[in-house]
Amino acid sequence: MRVKIILLFLFVVSQLTYPQERKINFVEYNLNNGLHVILHQDNSTPIVAITVTYHVGSKNEQPDRTGFAHFFEHLMFEGSEYIGRGEFDKISENAGGQNNASTSFDETFYYQILPSNQLELGLWMESERMLHLKIDSIGVETQRKVVKEERKQRLDNQPYGTLQEQVFKHAYKVHPYRWTPIGSAQYIDKATLDEFIDFYKHYYVPQNAVLSISGDINIEQAKKEIEKYFADIPRGKYEIKQPQIVEPPLNGEVRDTVYDNIQLPLVLFAYRIPAQGTPDYYALDMLNTILAQGQSSRLYKSLVDKQQKAVYAGSLNFALEDPGLFITYAVANVGVNAEDLEKAMQLELDKVKDSLISKREYQKLQNQTENDFVTSNSTNLGVARSLANYYLFFHNTNLINTEINKYMMVTREDIKRVADKYLNNDNRVVLYYLPKKANSTK
């Protein structure tokens, strides 16, 4: 019996340590039209993830035409020359697959997860979107209604729903990060059919996209099928330039109060931070884990469990292609006012600025970071997305195997240093979200 227990223990340990040591092999190359292709073969399950990432997000929009990238997230499912209106989802589902998309400040991401024997079908569907997307008045008007309704449901009629908009509007004054991906309903209404067509022709082209595939494939066969469906798509005619706008420093704390249809106050701090992939980014990311990952994190433990000043407390390292934001926030408990909650939040931030984290907490942090890194690449979809992003933003696809080393090199001193450098009052936005009734009593 003892031998069996030892063998079982060794098996469990091997399963836990293997993913951390597993190298993710891939093949990457460019088609003549500029499309970058990344292939990862994993024959462990008969599943394939097909992703297409376009280097276009809300930061590529004009101030008076926000929401275009998000609009196309929807419009790309409308149909094409050879896919009937509304048939995209049906074709995928009938083949046993699922699909979706998302839009950020910097990119728009589309994916399909299919049985591996449907790889060719998925490639054909994605090539249709890239070459033959149907942009007509019927589709545009349909999606105008959908996008506006989504905004109502997710932002306008949701408690704290406008929080992201308010944060970025206050934190940026010249950079296009000052508006968020969901955009403005009024600008979507004003946009003409020709404007949507021009946006599509400008950004949804091979040289501005990464096709990343992970799963049960044969590399050489996949190359042939990719050639068949994507090689003849012409390059876009526009020169694609990413914004080079540099946001000036805040040079002083920005404060504001938003009155919303809520019951409990919310307090938020947003600090300017460097772009993703810069040396300080990794220390800030680990600081975020210390403050807010899980119920044992510092903010949650102190504000929610011990002091009971908040019903929830969190933090977010909002890293972007250009300098982003480090955000901490808390929702007040019943009877706790925003001023008291702010003081309690500030005390927790001061602790990481004034003192090194303990060696025990540091070891736990490294374990959490390594686990998160492995987990993010534990599925075919996760691998495909990571490969695409590492190429798109860093032109170093092999970071999927090596970026963890950048995290592991972060020291306790680095964490204290970045906390002291970036989490200061002159570099932040402070927002109070208060119930509307608090405004009416003034």
Side-chain angles (χ1 to χ4, degrees):
M1 178 63 72
R2 185 179 178 187
V3 172
K4 288 184 178 180
I5 292 174
I6 293 172
L7 289 174
L8 177 61
F9 173 76
L10 291 174
F11 173 77
V12 171
V13 170
S14 71
Q15 294 304 299
L16 291 173
T17 57
Y18 170 71
Q20 299 174 12
E21 299 170 355
R22 178 173 68 99
K23 181 181 180 181
I24 297 175
N25 296 308
F26 58 90
V27 172
E28 63 180 329
Y29 60 98
N30 286 328
L31 296 182
N32 290 335
N33 57 14
L35 178 67
H36 193 75
V37 180
I38 310 173
L39 304 175
H40 167 65
Q41 183 172 334
D42 177 357
N43 303 118
S44 58
T45 57
I47 299 294
V48 63
I50 305 168
T51 71
V52 179
T53 308
Y54 293 93
H55 199 177
V56 55
S58 56
K59 81 167 185 291
N60 299 97
E61 300 161 351
Q62 297 302 312
D64 60 349
R65 288 296 183 270
T66 64
F68 267 46
H70 175 242
F71 189 87
F72 269 91
E73 177 195 323
H74 290 264
L75 196 63
M76 293 281 262
F77 289 91
E78 187 67 20
S80 72
E81 185 174 336
Y82 299 106
I83 297 177
R85 193 180 306 280
E87 292 294 313
F88 195 97
D89 286 341
K90 292 180 182 178
I91 294 172
S92 180
E93 290 167 5
N94 289 340
Q98 56 178 290
N99 65 86
N100 213 328
S102 62
T103 308
S104 75
F105 291 87
D106 301 314
E107 66 174 5
T108 310
F109 174 73
Y110 300 86
Y111 75 83
Q112 295 190 68
I113 301 174
L114 291 162
S116 53
N117 61 2
Q118 298 296 328
L119 172 64
E120 187 170 4
L121 173 68
L123 292 173
W124 169 70
M125 293 171 72
E126 291 302 334
S127 70
E128 277 294 291
R129 290 209 268 210
M130 191 179 292
L131 178 61
H132 292 135
L133 185 68
K134 184 178 291 182
I135 308 177
D136 57 19
S137 57
I138 297 174
V140 166
E141 294 309 318
T142 299
Q143 295 309 322
R144 276 195 225 263
K145 295 176 184 176
V146 171
V147 168
K148 288 191 292 183
E149 184 60 28
E150 180 181 350
R151 182 185 168 86
K152 285 181 182 178
Q153 294 298 321
R154 289 175 52 189
L155 273 74
D156 302 333
N157 297 333
Q158 190 84 334
Y160 314 105
T162 59
L163 190 60
Q164 188 186 73
E165 277 193 332
Q166 290 290 341
V167 170
F168 280 83
K169 181 175 71 174
H170 284 80
Y172 296 91
K173 296 305 177 187
V174 298
H175 194 282
Y177 286 160
R178 67 185 186 272
W179 60 83
T180 55
I182 200 162
S184 168
Q186 64 168 322
Y187 297 143
I188 291 298
D189 273 341
K190 289 179 180 178
T192 66
L193 179 62
D194 286 341
E195 286 178 298
F196 287 120
I197 293 173
D198 286 344
F199 195 81
Y200 173 70
K201 290 182 177 179
H202 194 131
Y203 292 107
Y204 298 83
V205 291
Q207 72 268 31
N208 199 44
V210 177
L211 171 64
S212 180
I213 301 172
S214 175
D216 184 28
I217 60 173
N218 175 282
I219 296 289
E220 294 308 315
Q221 182 61 33
K223 284 182 176 181
K224 292 176 183 177
E225 292 176 356
I226 291 167
E227 183 78 16
K228 176 180 177 181
Y229 290 105
F230 288 91
D232 291 337
I233 300 177
R235 290 177 65 92
K237 297 179 181 178
Y238 294 97
E239 181 182 3
I240 300 173
K241 293 183 178 180
Q242 295 299 323
Q244 300 298 314
I245 299 170
V246 177
E247 181 73 27
L250 276 176
N251 290 326
E253 185 179 79
V254 176
R255 280 184 172 264
D256 202 358
T257 300
V258 178
Y259 295 95
D260 196 8
N261 187 26
I262 56 176
Q263 299 298 316
L264 299 173
L266 178 148
V267 177
L268 178 146
F269 304 151
Y271 301 89
R272 294 267 196 83
I273 58 170
Q276 60 186 3
T278 53
D280 283 354
Y281 157 77
Y282 296 100
L284 285 162
D285 211 28
M286 294 181 81
L287 173 60
N288 175 66
T289 300
I290 294 170
L291 291 174
Q293 183 165 309
Q295 295 187 3
S296 64
S297 61
R298 288 195 176 197
L299 285 173
Y300 195 96
K301 208 169 177 181
S302 174
L303 300 179
V304 179
D305 288 345
K306 291 183 179 179
Q307 301 181 59
Q308 297 186 355
K309 288 184 179 293
V311 295
Y312 185 81
S315 177
L316 177 64
N317 187 32
F318 217 117
L320 298 165
E321 186 173 16
D322 293 338
L325 297 175
F326 189 98
I327 298 171
T328 62
Y329 60 95
V331 179
N333 207 340
V334 176
V336 177
N337 63 44
E339 290 79 9
D340 287 344
L341 182 58
E342 179 185 346
K343 290 176 183 177
M345 292 169 64
Q346 186 61 56
L347 282 174
E348 288 306 311
L349 298 184
D350 287 342
K351 290 177 184 178
V352 292
K353 294 168 65 176
D354 296 339
S355 304
L356 292 175
I357 64 173
S358 69
K359 291 181 180 179
R360 182 178 178 182
E361 189 174 17
Y362 177 64
Q363 183 60 59
K364 176 186 174 184
L365 173 62
Q366 286 190 310
N367 293 340
Q368 285 179 303
T369 302
E370 189 171 11
N371 181 67
D372 290 346
F373 188 82
V374 171
T375 301
S376 68
N377 296 318
S378 63
T379 66
N380 281 317
L381 180 60
V383 169
R385 182 159 200 176
S386 291
L387 289 168
N389 282 348
Y390 285 131
Y391 174 79
L392 192 71
F393 296 123
F394 307 108
H395 292 286
N396 183 3
T397 314
N398 196 48
L399 280 171
I400 197 169
N401 293 309
T402 63
E403 191 184 35
I404 186 61
N405 298 329
K406 296 178 182 289
Y407 284 102
M408 295 299 102
M409 289 172 63
V410 172
T411 65
R412 295 189 298 154
E413 289 77 11
D414 288 329
I415 293 168
K416 179 180 180 298
R417 177 182 55 79
V418 296
D420 189 58
K421 181 176 181 179
Y422 298 105
L423 306 191
N424 63 77
N425 292 7
D426 288 339
N427 184 46
R428 75 176 182 181
V429 172
V430 179
L431 287 182
Y432 281 12
Y433 258 66
L434 301 180
K436 286 183 177 179
K437 61 183 179 182
N439 191 33
S440 62
T441 56
K442 290 186 175 182

